[in-house]
Structures are given as C-alpha cells and as structure tokens.
Amino acid sequence: MRVDYEAFRREVMSVIAAIPRGKVVSYGQIAFLIGRPRNSRLVGRVLRTASDGPHMPCHRVVNSAGRLAPHWPGQRQLLEAEGVLFKPNGHVDMKQCGWRFMEIDSDDFFSHA
DNA sequence: ACATTGACCGGTT
DNA sequence: AAACCGGCCAATG
C-alpha cells in the first residue's frame, strides 16, 4: 500500500503537537496512532527531515527504549527542562514519562494532589 | 532492478 | 542493562 508522504508527515506532526509537556512518545507509538503501525522507521525519517517550523516539540520523541535521537546534543537538556526524568544509564524513564495516550489526560486524574 | 541505509521494534540471549 | 537478531519498509544510490 503506497503512502502519501505529505499526508503522513502532517499526521505525524499533529500527534507530536499533542504530546503534553514532560511526556515523551516513541516512533512506534506515533506510527500506531496514525494507523500505520509498520512505519515507525518512516516516522523517524519525517523527523530527520524536520526542516519544519520551530515550536514543534520533536524533542519529545524517543525510541521504544527511551534512548534519545543520535546527533542531537541538547535534546536531553530540553527534556530535563520540562521535568522529564532520566535513568542513570542516560535513557528516559519511560515508566514515568511515557505518554499513556490511552488513559485520561489531565495528569493525575486519579491522584489526590 | 538490486543493494544499502536508517531519529525503529520486539524478543532472546 | 546491553548486545544480538530477524523483521520491517520507504528512501536513496
């Protein structure tokens, strides 16, 4: 099944735009969300070619293991600046900061802060 | 048309 | 945790 690259790119961007501050998502999750679960690599390609506008929080995209994008020093600082937690090995703590898009959004809906 | 290359993924050592 | 492996798929040469 062919892919309309432009449409694909727009969908990827719309998902990225919806990532809440302090949360991250993987390429695979994005691919899944836009209905193309086999195209995680293509998601990466879209971002690599992100000559796209500023204001796009593409730093909130990591891989499934929580590893950051190669050749992008500074991504870590951007994430830390918004409160994303890192494990001693330098990976994002997905358990706490992975965006669980299947659940109710407003953070800590079930907590009693 | 064929081979290589990834901002990938999940499972298995 | 990290290294390895097989699968994946569009782009690129």
Side-chain angles (χ1 to χ4, degrees):
Chain A
M1 181 178 177
R2 277 181 53 203
V3 300
D4 178 344
Y5 189 78
E6 268 309 302
F8 185 89
R9 190 184 58 75
R10 277 195 300 273
E11 302 235 31
V12 168
M13 289 317 189
S14 74
V15 170
I16 292 176
I19 309 173
R21 271 179 63 89
K23 296 292 177 189
V24 300
V25 287
S26 78
Y27 303 91
Q29 288 177 343
I30 294 176
F32 171 82
L33 282 174
I34 65 177
R36 305 205 69 97
R38 321 285 177 68
N39 290 77
S40 54
R41 301 195 88 133
L42 193 51
V43 173
R45 181 171 290 274
V46 166
L47 294 191
R48 190 187 54 175
T49 315
S51 49
D52 276 51
H55 321 324
M56 188 56 76
C58 45
H59 60 278
R60 303 202 184 116
V61 183
V62 302
N63 76 3
S64 64
R67 189 173 66 256
L68 306 190
H71 307 131
W72 189 8
Q75 179 178 18
R76 166 144 187 183
Q77 188 182 346
L78 287 172
L79 292 172
E80 282 178 331
E82 52 185 67
V84 172
L85 301 170
F86 283 75
K87 301 194 294 180
N89 38 327
H91 289 182
V92 170
D93 189 334
M94 296 303 272
K95 195 172 168 112
Q96 297 198 47
C97 302
W99 181 28
R100 301 211 247 294
F101 49 80
M102 289 306 243
E103 298 173 12
I104 309 264
D105 210 339
S106 85
D107 27 306
D108 309 343
F109 182 81
F110 296 101
S111 84
H112 323 285

